[in-house]
Amino acid sequence: MSYNNSSFQTAAQKDGVVDNLAKYLKYWYLFVACIGLSLAIAYLYLKTTTYTFQVSSTLFIQEDKKGESALSGTAFNDLNMFNRTVTVDNEIATLRSRALLMKVMEDLNMGVTYFVEDPFKRIEIYGNDLPIQVKLVKANKYVYYQDITFTILDNKSFSIEEKETRHVYQFNRKIRTPNYTIEVTKGPAFHPDYPPVIVRFINLYKLAESYSGSKLDITPITKESNTIVLSIIDAVPRRSIDFLNKLIETYNYENVENKNKLALKTIEFINNRLKYLGADLTSTGQEVEQYKQANRVANVAADAQQSLQKSVEYNQQLSNIEIQKNVVSSLESYIEKPGSQFEMVPSTLGLPDATLAGLINKYNDLQIERQRLLRTAQPNNPIIVHVDEQLSGLKENIGESLRNIKKGLAITSSNLKSNSSQYESRILAAPAIERGLSERSREQGVKEGLYNYLLQKREEAALSVSATMPTSRVVDAPSSTSNPVSPKTSFIYLCAFFVGCILPASGLFIRDYLNTKVQGINDIEQINGVLILGELSHKQDKDTLVINKNSRTTISELFRYIRTNLNYMTDNITNKVMLVTSSMKGEGKTFFSINLGATLALVNKKVLLIEFDLRKPDLLKSLHLKNTIGLTNYFNSEASLDEIIQSSNYQPNLYVIGCGPLPEDPAELLMGPRVAELFEQLRERFDFIIIDTSPVGQVADAFSLAPYTDASIYLVRHNYTDKTQLNILKDIFENNKLKKPMVVLNDAKSESFKGYGYGGYGYNYTDKKAYS
């Protein structure tokens, strides 16, 4: 049979992953213990951790990017007073404003939090679970975030304990201390035996900052959507539900209030004007009545009717001009009124000047914007100062426009009067009384027209107030998730399970990684071209010889398996000379040599064991034979071959040659001429010759004997041979320093021993005692 590397590997290699898994599963008890401990820690963590839930609500924002009022198209749309730009981003900023948040928190008394102690953690209580309710009237900065213990004593009294001091107080009375003033009342869950309640005061300004910054999350459902989601993560879902409900309610209320503010200002202005016009109308009516009574006037003369028709037309135009003059005068008086710098300017009330209307609308829009900015900024803020400058400039422009309109109306009035005088000359013959009556009637008509106009506008403005709707609409009311968002119970337990698996696996991996000893056949198979002759397990007894004709132990079967492999790997040649060596002392060369020889002798082969370790011989001692005469005597011609060969006393076909007296120059002795002569004679007399030599990692004796051998067996011992010493074996295979080298893994443990099976039978082992 040819010398083929792949043909003589150990029987059926298992998959590497399966091998590693089996190696770790051997320590299953460590994994069970670590997993149990990790799950216990996870359980304690979940017991001591406060669960948090997500509370969310969906809100629809009605956008109005062009500033058109929701009531556009109504009778009062010509006033242009109710236009307001509404965008989702602006409304989100409003909802996040600290002023709005603080107002909501004050209404909900969120400046006071309540806790009770649990065996594992502190639990926060709220709402209907409160045995007491504390109203914080006043507090200084030193009392915030400090624990104050309230203990109910009976139905009328309670005690307060803080900083090693304890005082008793009555319910429903103000309590004043140097740091705070509070009022304590009974809560929905009041009971005299209720456990102590820990109260903590919260700085609402800082709390509003945290909500505005990150705790209150407001995001549109999609980038271009008008629907936003408000969400809060809190340990008390009921509190966050109440907070979001109150926030939306307050936001909508202020939204409507802001919309109505301008309309209410206009109504106030109109009411003031109506009061003065009503008095003027009463006075004018009385004058007409007195004039007619004094002059007994009833109807206009028939002959002046035609001329008067033209005069009336011009008078009507003059009346309209007078109305506009009055409106202009009223607006001038309102603008120039002291303290009106930051008040809304009423609408143009029908003046046909588009420029004036645009200036007033822009002025009112800036007033609204300034009021909005004042919610989150101080009056000295650069942005507000800039707005004030714009308002001042617009106010001057409005005044200038009113003066120009007034001049134009004066010119028009002059022209109309000039035309009217032409027709008045035609009625000079008419009674002077008729002219006086016309003058009084004209003044009365002007004031009546202006009065009716203002009445109509007041009703329209009042209608806008009653019809104002909030910008937002609740799509989904605030609600809490059924499961906590943190901690995730299943995720925590899953992580604990994996940690329980990873920790022992990591420990075993690090142990193996730091272990420099050979752990199994896989370490040897890393060498290219290596031939594995077999593996040997532990032996339980102390006897050197573990094999005989009737032995059926695991290790005896392994030696028989090695004997079978040996025939294939050495091409079944006869009179074989086999050299047994290793890297260092203690790897089992002598033990292996003796039992291999005994195994070969069982098949009626004549076997000779030679103790060629001339430095620290151990073979004869293991066989309980005396080392009186041996190789040294033969090489020095002091004894013949027959004299140094002795029986092993174990098996009839097993013979031994000892080393004899230890020589002073063993290396030189092995290079003498009688060595070749020795092997030549022994080949003729024995079927197998097994040479027990010194370790090649310490001396070179084995290499000196290599030319006289047919095969070499290299012993590697589990958890004893250093992995660095495998470089010696690698060098032997790469440079052919020994003839047909084969490797035997000795003292293999259960985790590394692969075992061999053939013909339906498998062999393994349970021995636990290591070799000496």
Side-chain angles (χ1 to χ4, degrees):
M1 181 175 288
S2 62
Y3 185 70
N4 190 303
N5 200 23
S6 61
S7 300
F8 306 112
Q9 295 292 334
T10 54
Q13 299 293 325
K14 293 183 180 179
D15 183 81
V17 175
V18 176
D19 288 345
N20 288 331
L21 183 61
K23 180 174 64 175
Y24 287 115
L25 288 180
K26 186 175 71 73
Y27 298 96
W28 60 268
Y29 51 89
L30 288 179
F31 286 88
V32 172
C34 287
I35 290 173
L37 180 61
S38 297
L39 293 177
I41 293 173
Y43 175 79
L44 291 176
Y45 169 76
L46 293 173
K47 271 290 188 181
T48 56
T49 300
T50 300
Y51 287 81
T52 58
F53 299 80
Q54 184 177 40
V55 177
S56 60
S57 177
T58 306
L59 202 63
F60 176 77
I61 304 295
Q62 180 65 52
E63 282 196 335
D64 187 10
K65 295 182 179 180
K66 296 181 179 180
E68 296 177 352
S69 170
L71 298 173
S72 60
T74 61
F76 55 88
N77 187 48
D78 63 319
L79 295 177
N80 295 322
M81 296 188 304
F82 309 104
N83 294 349
R84 175 174 173 263
T85 301
V86 178
T87 64
V88 171
D89 291 339
N90 290 341
E91 300 312 301
I92 289 177
T94 302
L95 286 166
R96 284 187 181 278
S97 63
R98 285 191 294 271
L100 179 63
L101 293 174
M102 284 191 65
K103 184 176 181 181
V104 172
M105 291 172 181
E106 288 172 355
D107 292 342
L108 295 177
N109 195 28
M110 290 179 65
V112 183
T113 55
Y114 307 82
F115 302 88
V116 292
E117 292 290 353
D118 184 74
F120 292 97
K121 60 186 174 183
R122 179 176 288 185
I123 300 175
E124 186 173 359
I125 55 177
Y126 174 81
N128 293 331
D129 297 328
L130 294 177
I132 60 172
Q133 291 179 330
V134 180
K135 180 181 179 182
L136 182 61
V137 180
K138 183 179 67 174
N140 59 32
K141 62 181 180 180
Y142 302 107
V143 77
Y144 289 124
Y145 307 103
Q146 301 294 325
D147 290 345
I148 303 175
T149 303
F150 287 69
T151 303
I152 300 174
L153 301 178
D154 51 41
N155 289 326
K156 296 182 180 180
S157 62
F158 61 93
S159 66
I160 297 179
E161 183 178 349
E162 56 176 327
K163 296 180 180 179
E164 301 180 355
T165 61
R166 185 173 182 270
H167 301 281
V168 177
Y169 300 97
Q170 300 293 319
F171 286 107
N172 303 319
R173 295 183 182 179
K174 281 190 177 180
I175 300 170
R176 292 180 174 85
T177 69
N179 293 327
Y180 57 84
T181 301
I182 60 175
E183 184 176 348
V184 183
T185 58
K186 298 178 181 179
F190 177 84
H191 193 277
D193 297 328
Y194 202 93
V197 178
I198 300 172
V199 175
R200 183 177 292 176
F201 300 131
I202 306 298
N203 188 321
L204 283 184
Y205 184 81
K206 292 184 178 180
L207 185 62
E209 277 188 336
S210 68
Y211 271 76
S212 177
S214 59
K215 191 166 184 179
L216 174 61
D217 184 44
I218 307 176
T219 54
I221 292 181
T222 60
K223 187 176 181 181
E224 301 297 331
S225 175
N226 291 358
T227 304
I228 61 175
V229 177
L230 296 81
S231 62
I232 301 174
I233 295 178
D234 196 352
V236 185
R238 184 68 254 175
R239 176 175 58 196
S240 293
I241 291 174
D242 293 344
F243 175 81
L244 289 181
N245 279 324
K246 191 66 176 179
L247 177 64
I248 294 171
E249 177 188 342
T250 306
Y251 163 75
N252 286 333
Y253 174 79
E254 292 195 355
N255 184 272
V256 172
E257 285 295 303
N258 289 333
K259 287 184 177 181
N260 290 337
K261 189 172 294 185
L262 180 59
L264 293 174
K265 277 289 183 182
T266 302
I267 292 173
E268 181 183 356
F269 167 75
I270 292 175
N271 286 333
N272 291 333
R273 292 302 304 156
L274 287 174
K275 182 173 66 175
Y276 292 114
L277 282 174
D280 288 346
L281 280 174
T282 301
S283 176
T284 302
Q286 289 175 353
E287 287 181 5
V288 172
E289 181 181 355
Q290 292 173 1
Y291 182 83
K292 286 184 176 182
Q293 288 176 353
N295 295 281
R296 298 184 179 184
V297 176
N299 296 311
V300 181
D303 56 353
Q305 185 66 34
Q306 185 176 4
S307 297
L308 287 175
Q309 287 179 354
K310 289 292 184 180
S311 178
V312 167
E313 291 178 3
Y314 284 105
N315 287 338
Q316 185 63 41
Q317 294 180 32
L318 285 170
S319 296
N320 291 336
I321 296 298
E322 290 298 323
I323 291 172
Q324 295 180 26
K325 283 183 177 181
N326 287 333
V327 171
V328 171
S329 298
S330 298
L331 288 174
E332 282 183 330
S333 300
Y334 186 82
I335 290 174
E336 294 172 0
K337 183 178 67 175
S340 64
Q341 181 181 0
F342 300 115
E343 293 184 357
M344 302 292 184
V345 176
S347 68
T348 56
L349 301 175
L351 289 178
D353 191 280
T355 301
L356 178 61
L359 290 173
I360 291 176
N361 287 338
K362 190 172 181 181
Y363 183 87
N364 289 335
D365 288 343
L366 280 175
Q367 289 284 15
I368 294 173
E369 181 64 21
R370 183 180 183 275
Q371 293 174 11
R372 178 186 286 269
L373 291 172
L374 283 173
R375 292 180 183 176
T376 57
Q378 299 297 324
N380 60 356
N381 188 285
I383 297 176
I384 297 179
V385 172
H386 178 66
V387 172
D388 292 346
E389 293 174 355
Q390 288 182 300
L391 288 172
S392 178
L394 284 173
K395 192 171 184 180
E396 292 179 3
N397 292 338
I398 292 171
E400 182 63 26
S401 180
L402 288 173
R403 287 190 289 272
N404 292 335
I405 292 172
K406 193 172 184 180
K407 290 179 181 178
L409 291 175
I411 294 172
T412 302
S413 177
S414 176
N415 292 334
L416 288 174
K417 286 180 179 179
S418 176
N419 293 331
S420 178
S421 64
Q422 297 177 6
Y423 292 98
E424 288 180 354
S425 62
R426 299 176 184 176
I427 58 173
L428 289 176
I433 190 172
E434 186 67 25
R435 184 172 61 251
L437 183 61
S438 297
E439 290 175 356
R440 288 168 175 76
S441 298
R442 182 174 64 234
E443 182 181 357
Q444 185 181 23
V446 169
K447 293 181 178 181
E448 284 181 352
L450 180 59
Y451 189 85
N452 291 333
Y453 178 81
L454 291 176
L455 280 176
Q456 179 186 355
K457 295 305 177 183
R458 185 180 66 177
E459 292 303 314
E460 290 174 351
L463 178 62
S464 72
V465 172
S466 62
T468 301
M469 298 294 293
T471 304
S472 66
R473 175 171 57 86
V474 176
V475 178
D476 280 333
S479 60
S480 171
T481 55
S482 56
N483 296 320
V485 296
S486 175
K488 300 285 188 182
T489 304
S490 57
F491 178 75
I492 295 296
Y493 279 123
L494 182 63
C495 289
F497 176 79
F498 280 116
V499 169
C501 293
I502 291 171
L503 284 179
S506 300
L508 293 173
F509 174 80
I510 293 172
R511 184 201 67 175
D512 292 341
Y513 182 80
L514 297 177
N515 190 350
T516 61
K517 304 299 181 181
V518 173
Q519 296 300 308
I521 202 71
N522 291 333
D523 294 332
I524 303 172
E525 289 175 341
Q526 302 300 320
I527 301 173
N528 292 330
V530 70
L531 294 175
I532 306 300
L533 181 61
E535 295 178 73
L536 294 176
S537 65
H538 281 286
K539 68 181 181 69
Q540 188 173 6
D541 53 46
K542 297 182 179 180
D543 295 335
T544 301
L545 191 65
V546 297
I547 186 167
N548 55 59
K549 188 174 182 179
N550 298 320
S551 64
R552 289 295 181 268
T553 62
T554 299
I555 195 167
S556 66
E557 294 299 334
L558 291 173
F559 269 107
R560 290 184 175 96
Y561 184 82
I562 290 174
R563 179 181 63 193
T564 303
N565 277 349
L566 189 61
N567 289 331
Y568 287 108
M569 292 185 177
T570 55
D571 298 329
N572 291 318
I573 61 175
T574 58
N575 306 101
K576 299 179 191 135
V577 177
M578 293 177 290
L579 182 144
V580 179
T581 187
S582 66
S583 302
M584 57 190 294
K585 184 174 177 58
E587 293 177 299
K589 298 184 305 299
T590 301
F591 167 80
F592 177 79
S593 299
I594 293 172
N595 285 281
L596 178 61
T599 305
L600 294 171
L602 287 176
V603 292
N604 295 321
K605 299 293 184 181
K606 196 173 182 181
V607 181
L608 176 65
L609 302 177
I610 305 178
E611 189 176 44
F612 253 107
D613 189 348
L614 303 181
R615 302 171 189 272
K616 293 182 179 180
D618 201 27
L619 191 143
L620 292 183
K621 181 181 179 181
S622 298
L623 292 172
H624 307 292
L625 298 176
K626 294 182 179 181
N627 186 18
T628 56
I629 186 172
L631 292 175
T632 306
N633 305 101
Y634 177 79
F635 292 147
N636 294 328
S637 302
E638 296 173 356
S640 64
L641 183 60
D642 291 330
E643 291 176 333
I644 64 174
I645 297 175
Q646 55 181 314
S647 174
S648 66
N649 296 330
Y650 282 94
Q651 293 186 19
N653 293 329
L654 184 61
Y655 299 90
V656 182
I657 297 178
C659 71
L662 297 180
E664 296 181 357
D665 53 349
E668 287 74 14
L669 192 64
L670 293 177
M671 298 181 67
R674 290 185 63 93
V675 176
E677 180 183 341
L678 172 67
F679 283 106
E680 184 179 351
Q681 295 180 39
L682 291 177
R683 283 180 182 273
E684 296 176 355
R685 301 172 63 174
F686 293 95
D687 296 315
F688 291 96
I689 301 169
I690 300 174
I691 305 173
D692 181 18
T693 66
S694 303
V696 295
Q698 296 173 338
V699 294
D701 295 354
F703 295 126
S704 300
L705 297 172
Y708 309 109
T709 63
D710 299 310
S712 304
I713 300 175
Y714 196 98
L715 268 293
V716 176
R717 185 173 177 181
H718 173 271
N719 208 31
Y720 186 83
T721 304
D722 199 282
K723 291 179 181 179
T724 57
Q725 292 178 325
L726 293 180
N727 292 327
I728 301 173
L729 183 60
K730 180 179 179 182
D731 180 61
I732 290 173
F733 274 94
E734 290 179 352
N735 299 300
N736 297 319
K737 291 186 176 182
L738 297 176
K739 289 184 178 181
K740 292 186 179 180
M742 297 167 285
V743 180
V744 172
L745 178 62
N746 189 22
D747 199 21
K749 299 295 189 296
S750 59
E751 62 268 24
S752 61
F753 178 66
K754 295 185 175 182
Y756 300 91
Y758 53 89
Y761 295 91
Y763 299 94
N764 214 321
Y765 63 93
T766 56
D767 306 304
K768 297 298 178 185
K769 185 175 178 62
Y771 303 109
S772 59

